[in-house]
Amino acid sequence: MPRFRSAVSLTLLITLLIVAACENATHVPPPSVEDKMVEAGLRDPNRSPKLRIGVYTWQRTMGYTERGVNKGFDVEVARYIARNLGYEGDDKIDWVPLSSIADRMKVLEAKTVDMVVASFSINADRAKSIGFAGPYLLTEQSVLIPAALKGRIATIGDLKKPAYEVCTSTGSTSEALLNERRIPVTPLNSDRDCFKGLRDGTFQAMSSDRTVLAGFAAEYPRKFELPAIQLTTLGNPGIEELGIGVAKDNVALRELIDYFLYKSYRDQQAGRSTEWQRAYRQYLSHLGPASQPAPAQVPDLLDYDAKSPGR
Amino acid sequence: MTTPEPRSRPHGGQAFWTVVVAGPAALSLLRLWIEAGGELQTTLLIVANVNTVNLFASMFLIGTRTVTMVLVVIFALGTLLGVSAADARTAGRPLRREPLFARWAAATPLWLLVATFVLAGATWQILYLPLLLPAFVMAFQTVPAYRGFDRAERLGVYAILLIGYYWLVRPVLSEDGFIVAMFAIPPLLASLAPGPVPVPVARVLARVGQPAVLALAVWSAVPVLTVPVLPLTVTTVSHDGGPQETVRGYVITSDDQLTAVLREEGGIRYLPNDDIEGRVLCPSAEQLPIYRVRVRDLHIEDSLLEAWGRRRRPAAPTDAACRTATTPDPAAALSSSDA
């Protein structure tokens, strides 16, 4: 009997070894980062040697230029993504300036950029035409007024007064919120136009993302204020999710960006210092403490650190 | 006049040691042909510049897993065949001759047996470690220390070890079928594994099993032959401030003026040192795992040594240059455009 037991045991072991060899040869692993690079067209020998990123060059704190150098929170996030895609340094990035909100959609649809990182809030309407990775930042809607009007414009009711004209950009979350609140509003093509009107006295208040307004205020210290007016309604929390725009059909690039955003998020959760945190401290610390949000769709990709602890 | 006594063929043990020592040494040289892409001049360049000690060291690092795998199988099967051959003799149905593996296993000193299993335990992927348990029982069944225990004592110790083992690997038991089978079945078979096996089975094992193991040894040596012998790097070069070029490959040698790089796709590039802006060490695609499974946060495709190393230095960032698309070789690009 023990002889047969040994023989059966040996047979089973040999079978297991054969199964292991077959499994090893036929098992299909999840796609790797490199696979997605190829799929996203980043390995195409005919493509531009630079990564083309659409950014604002006029939005203080988020995306602006200073002495010819692109700066801002969005720009730092873009640099982080670019580096992870293999484009390290500004000489490997083609910064495509965007002058208006509408430009962001146009350049992606025309495929004149690979991605847009420009205070681009994720919404269902836009997601019909382009792809969104992220969010990489949550921001609320706020109001900017001249410092001279501090105290006089302090509530929703004050904004409704005929004496004050409020501006916002067309199609923005702020416009929807102001309409819900029945606040008369003048929509313009961009926040920049609204801010110009605020400076020359055409408007007495403007509404947009808090990050954007804080940037405008930083351009003219002590000239403008951000009063604590809550625009949010029960049905609309007014929280903007800022994402990175990519062409609708380049799903692989969207997945890569989400993957690298998730890596940064994961590092932050593990208590490691991240470039997101450094960028936030440098450009947005005046908005109060914040942490990177988790991306909405995290792809299952294999990378070289897949075996590292905690990954 | 007496006829000279014919020279005796090397004893099985001698042949074994010849294979164990000379085999890896020959393989480590032969693999340079593959490394050079089959080009004679490139092979000669590598031979001229790769330090012999480094070559053997890299061979040892890469080949330990394969060599111990082959040795473990030989020792386990050899001991089982030895026990079975003795049993067949007792039963009056001796095998035609003592199986080769049985002679090798019998000639193996205990320290080598222990060292082989320790090395295997440290270098095998965690996924395959459970297979060591039945192999261990098979290979050590003739060792006096093992035989000193009676059956009840052995089963007692085995039961305790099994409980501890299943507590350790419990998280993996909810994974897919193959992973569960790899972790659950071998330890269960360990108690049934010691021989002897029936005489007909022993005969089949001796005739078919032994050549099959030798064939397995050759087959498993193939990956060892194709693993690069030099570290993979990406070198960034730019001539007179012109556009940057990235060269992915293996640095073979460097002198005052030039650095010779064996390109990943093949062929040697000589890069002027003054043009080199940077060089980074990069991981290769072969390092990517195929499973996502971990045991107690240790990846199942890591060996215990690798897992230990990763816990000691957990962050291994990949440099951006490693992700950069390789610039086509100017010469290759020219010839393809000509075509």
Side-chain angles (χ1 to χ4, degrees), chain B:
Chain B
M1 187 176 160
T2 56
T3 51
E5 196 173 304
R7 284 177 67 184
S8 63
R9 294 177 63 198
H11 184 263
Q14 284 175 290
F16 172 74
W17 283 109
T18 308
V19 170
V20 167
V21 176
L27 283 181
S28 62
L29 289 171
L30 291 175
R31 67 203 289 263
L32 293 183
W33 282 89
I34 298 167
E35 187 79 359
E39 288 289 327
L40 174 64
Q41 300 305 326
T42 310
T43 310
L44 294 176
L45 182 74
I46 299 176
V47 170
N49 289 287
V50 174
N51 182 303
T52 317
V53 176
N54 294 350
L55 186 64
F56 283 113
S58 70
M59 184 68 193
F60 181 79
L61 277 176
I62 295 160
T64 305
R65 191 176 285 177
T66 306
V67 171
T68 53
M69 188 266 285
V70 173
L71 289 180
V72 162
V73 174
I74 288 174
F75 293 153
L77 198 59
T79 310
L80 187 79
L81 282 171
V83 172
S84 302
D87 184 58
R89 272 195 303 276
T90 314
R93 299 165 60 200
L95 302 181
R96 198 158 55 87
R97 59 187 296 231
E98 185 81 357
L100 181 67
F101 285 5
R103 280 180 279 148
W104 284 355
T108 304
L110 182 61
W111 66 264
L112 179 63
L113 202 59
V114 173
T116 303
F117 274 83
V118 169
L119 266 180
T123 58
W124 283 20
Q125 290 184 358
I126 291 170
L127 174 63
Y128 301 117
L129 276 186
L131 290 169
L132 263 188
L133 299 171
F136 176 86
V137 176
M138 284 160 77
F140 282 79
Q141 62 183 305
T142 54
V143 172
Y146 178 88
R147 299 181 75 85
F149 292 100
D150 63 28
R151 183 168 166 75
E153 286 171 333
R154 275 204 291 266
L155 281 176
V157 172
Y158 172 72
I160 292 168
L161 290 177
L162 208 59
I163 291 167
Y165 173 82
Y166 282 109
W167 172 81
L168 197 67
V169 303
R170 198 179 43 187
V172 183
L173 301 180
S174 58
E175 294 293 336
D176 74 45
F178 168 68
I179 307 281
V180 174
M182 284 305 291
F183 278 93
I185 296 176
L188 287 175
L189 296 178
S191 69
L192 312 175
V197 291
V199 177
V201 176
R203 285 188 210 283
V204 172
L205 276 179
R207 280 193 197 144
V208 182
Q210 293 188 147
V213 170
L214 294 177
L216 172 78
V218 173
W219 179 63
S220 56
V222 172
V224 179
L225 284 174
T226 52
V227 173
V229 66
L230 297 164
L232 178 64
T233 61
V234 166
T235 308
T236 310
V237 291
S238 169
H239 186 63
D240 286 341
Q244 274 189 347
E245 188 190 346
T246 51
V247 181
R248 200 175 161 90
Y250 311 91
V251 176
I252 294 178
T253 181
S254 184
D255 59 23
D256 293 347
Q257 292 182 324
L258 296 167
T259 296
V261 177
L262 171 64
R263 295 168 71 243
E264 202 179 24
E265 314 86 85
I268 298 286
R269 278 283 304 273
Y270 284 96
L271 305 171
N273 290 345
D274 291 341
D275 292 353
I276 294 176
E277 293 185 346
R279 183 180 297 142
V280 293
L281 194 64
C282 292
S284 64
E286 293 85 41
Q287 289 172 245
L288 287 173
I290 59 172
Y291 298 105
R292 280 250 181 244
V293 185
R294 290 164 180 274
V295 186
R296 307 277 168 192
D297 206 26
L298 307 181
H299 198 282
I300 60 165
E301 288 171 80
D302 261 344
S303 66
L304 288 177
L305 271 182
E306 287 167 330
W308 186 9
R310 276 186 223 285
R311 298 191 86 72
R312 191 158 162 70
R313 308 214 189 284
T318 304
D319 196 280
C322 300
R323 310 251 197 219
T324 308
T326 310
T327 314
D329 182 18
L334 196 62
S335 61
S336 63
S337 65
D338 288 347

Side-chain angles (χ1 to χ4, degrees), chain A residues 94-299:
Chain A
D94 191 0
W95 296 110
V96 179
L98 304 170
S99 56
S100 71
I101 286 178
D103 274 1
R104 300 180 296 189
M105 300 289 287
K106 281 184 201 157
V107 291
L108 283 174
E109 282 164 351
K111 297 191 176 172
T112 50
V113 298
D114 297 302
M115 65 179 80
V116 165
V117 194
S119 297
F120 213 170
S121 51
I122 301 170
N123 66 43
D125 203 34
R126 287 173 182 160
K128 286 176 190 160
S129 317
I130 61 162
F132 274 113
Y136 63 90
L137 185 68
L138 304 182
T139 178
E140 59 186 358
Q141 301 307 297
S142 201
V143 176
L144 184 72
I145 58 168
L149 294 176
K150 188 181 176 185
R152 281 191 274 167
I153 300 178
T155 63
I156 296 281
D158 294 336
L159 287 173
K160 289 180 180 172
K161 287 179 183 169
Y164 304 129
E165 270 206 65
V166 184
C167 179
T168 190
S169 54
T170 313
S172 64
T173 308
S174 269
E175 187 185 17
L177 269 175
L178 293 169
N179 286 335
E180 275 185 54
R181 291 284 194 179
R182 299 184 189 286
I183 297 169
V185 61
T186 306
L188 290 184
N189 212 21
S190 78
D191 290 328
R192 188 101 203 135
D193 294 339
C194 283
F195 185 57
K196 193 164 169 256
L198 195 68
R199 275 182 4 240
D200 65 21
T202 310
F203 305 114
Q204 286 71 49
M206 70 173 284
S207 178
S208 185
D209 296 350
R210 192 170 166 78
T211 49
V212 175
L213 298 181
F216 285 140
E219 280 183 52
Y220 297 89
R222 292 184 296 279
K223 294 266 171 116
F224 296 93
E225 289 283 333
L226 282 153
I229 299 175
Q230 287 288 325
L231 288 177
T232 57
T233 63
L234 276 177
N236 188 345
I239 299 291
E240 290 272 34
E241 291 186 334
L242 301 190
I244 296 175
V246 295
K248 181 80 176 168
D249 57 358
N250 201 340
V251 178
L253 183 58
R254 200 267 301 153
E255 288 179 322
L256 282 168
I257 297 170
D258 268 330
Y259 177 75
F260 291 121
L261 286 177
Y262 178 70
K263 267 188 145 178
S264 168
Y265 168 77
R266 190 181 57 194
D267 283 348
Q268 171 195 267
Q269 296 300 102
R272 290 187 278 267
S273 167
T274 68
E275 288 173 59
W276 189 98
Q277 289 170 323
R278 282 196 287 278
Y280 191 89
R281 272 199 300 272
Q282 188 176 353
Y283 293 104
L284 300 176
S285 55
H286 52 276
L287 297 177
S291 55
Q292 184 189 345
Q297 308 170 69
V298 182

Side-chain angles (χ1 to χ4, degrees), chain A residues 3 6 43 300-301 303 306, chain B residues 87 194 244 289 292 294 323:
Chain A
R3 289 173 184 78
S6 298
R43 294 286 182 258
D300 181 22
L301 298 184
D303 202 3
Chain B
D87 184 58
Q244 274 189 347
R292 280 250 181 244
R294 290 164 180 274
R323 310 251 197 219

